[in-house]
């Protein structure tokens, strides 16, 4: 059965969904507003349902437009990905695997892994999707990503995990801090300390539940900064302290801009996993192959990760 809508109609729906106005959507697509209005009327006529209602100068989506916007995003993303894959084939690349790391944008490990991957396989390229780091699991389900490297345990329908490494959390502070030189800190040590947090949503395996709550000692919440690299810079400038994954702050530690201490005497370690769609877990699938190679590489001393 031939579809009622063309790609240009899906582009229209996506553009209006992003801008909310015919004039802005037309500018984004490089056509005139009158041409885009005609295209919208054509789409509604073909579907025999209204997609938008006008509210002053803005368009309000109907439930039909909401649904079609999701479909348009998926189809256009898949088409763009296919086109990019085809264009790369001339460079002996048959498969492009899109990858992102949850929260962090530290990719100093990437060159070493790519060299390891290329020594074991041909025709696979890695593309880093940094914009997906805030919600990589949704990126996987929406097919914007192929592999998400995430912390903690993941249990979600349609996704499979592969253990990579176990990494300790570090309490980080400027070198001049009163606790600098300590091997570890307890909750009572950091009570009242200005604290820069990545998120104020407590997680069961992190510092809030395992460092602060047991001693009923809490820091002074100085700021919420969703970029760990920015947190490191603020801590290095003596504007607060924080708790971050050890692997992600190694550069700043080696440079001496910050110092770190174990979180509690026994330490708090967080597991990191490669997460991929269940449908991609199949021998010979390039996505599964990259995840397997990533797991193997993490066990090597040169990877720099803490393996259990």
């Amino acid at each position: 059965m031939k579809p009622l809508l063309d790609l240009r109609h899906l582009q229209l729906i996506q553009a209006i969904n992003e801008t909310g106005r015919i004039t802005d959507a037309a500018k984004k697509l490089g056509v005139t507003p009158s041409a885009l209005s005609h295209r919208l009327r054509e789409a509604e006529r073909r579907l025999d349902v209204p997609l938008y209602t006008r509210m002053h100068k803005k368009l309000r989506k109907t439930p039909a437009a909401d649904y079609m916007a999701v479909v348009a995003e998926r189809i256009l993303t898949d088409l763009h990905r296919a086109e990019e894959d085809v264009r790369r084939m001339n460079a002996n690349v048959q498969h492009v695997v899109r990858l992102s790391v949850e929260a962090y944008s530290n990719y100093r490990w990437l060159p070493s892994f790519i060299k390891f991957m290329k020594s074991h396989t041909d025709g696979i390229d890695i593309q880093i999707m940094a914009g997906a780091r805030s919600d990589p699991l949704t990126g996987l389900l929406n097919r914007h990503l192929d592999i998400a490297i995430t912390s903690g345990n993941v249990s979600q329908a349609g996704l499979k995990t592969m253990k990579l490494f176990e990494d300790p959390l570090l309490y980080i502070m400027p070198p001049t801090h009163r606790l600098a030189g300590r091997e570890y800190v307890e909750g009572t040590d950091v009570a009242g300390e200005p604290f820069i947090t990545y998120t104020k949503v407590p997680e069961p395996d992190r510092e809030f539940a395992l460092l602060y709550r047991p001693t009923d000692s809490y820091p002074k919440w100085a700021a919420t900064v969703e970029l760990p690299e920015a947190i490191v810079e603020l801590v290095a400038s003596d504007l607060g302290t924080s708790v971050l994954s050890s692997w992600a702050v190694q550069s700043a530690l080696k440079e001496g801009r910050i110092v770190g201490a174990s979180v509690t005497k026994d330490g708090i370690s967080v597991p990191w996993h490669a997460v991929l769609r269940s449908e991609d877990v199949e021998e010979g699938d390039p996505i599964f192959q990259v995840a397997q190679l990533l797991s193997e590489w993490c066990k090597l001393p040169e990877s720099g990760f803490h393996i259990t």
Side-chain angles (χ1 to χ4, degrees), residues 127-161:
Q127 182 174 351
I128 298 298
M129 309 295 286
R133 67 183 181 180
S134 60
D135 192 3
L137 299 186
T138 298
L140 278 174
L141 295 172
N142 288 344
R143 312 187 78 82
H144 293 168
L145 278 183
D146 297 313
I147 298 175
I149 299 177
T150 66
S151 63
N153 295 306
V154 176
S155 179
Q156 188 165 337
L159 300 179
K160 293 291 184 181
T161 63

Side-chain angles (χ1 to χ4, degrees), residues 213-233:
R213 189 181 293 152
T215 58
D216 198 28
S217 302
Y218 299 92
K220 176 184 177 183
W221 306 110
T224 302
V225 179
E226 294 185 355
L227 191 63
E229 291 74 16
I231 292 177
V232 169
E233 297 306 319

Side-chain angles (χ1 to χ4, degrees), residues 112 296-307:
S112 175
E296 292 176 20
W297 176 77
C298 284
K299 295 179 175 64
L300 300 177
E302 56 264 33
S303 74
F305 292 125
H306 302 262
I307 310 302

Side-chain angles (χ1 to χ4, degrees), residues 127-251:
Q127 182 174 351
I128 298 298
M129 309 295 286
R133 67 183 181 180
S134 60
D135 192 3
L137 299 186
T138 298
L140 278 174
L141 295 172
N142 288 344
R143 312 187 78 82
H144 293 168
L145 278 183
D146 297 313
I147 298 175
I149 299 177
T150 66
S151 63
N153 295 306
V154 176
S155 179
Q156 188 165 337
L159 300 179
K160 293 291 184 181
T161 63
M162 187 177 298
K163 180 71 174 291
L164 296 180
F165 60 92
E166 194 93 14
D167 189 62
L169 293 178
L170 284 183
Y171 186 86
I172 61 172
M173 54 200 132
T176 56
H177 195 273
R178 63 180 180 84
L179 296 175
R182 294 280 293 271
E183 291 186 9
Y184 65 89
V185 297
E186 299 287 358
T188 52
D189 296 323
V190 298
E193 282 289 329
F195 190 79
I196 306 168
T197 180
Y198 174 76
T199 174
K200 286 187 177 178
V201 179
E203 296 182 70
D205 58 349
R206 308 298 169 93
E207 68 273 11
F208 190 93
L210 301 180
L211 176 64
Y212 306 134
R213 189 181 293 152
T215 58
D216 198 28
S217 302
Y218 299 92
K220 176 184 177 183
W221 306 110
T224 302
V225 179
E226 294 185 355
L227 191 63
E229 291 74 16
I231 292 177
V232 169
E233 297 306 319
L234 293 173
V235 170
S237 299
D238 200 11
L239 294 175
T241 59
S242 189
V243 172
L244 292 175
S245 285
S246 173
W247 74 265
V249 299
Q250 287 303 308
S251 297

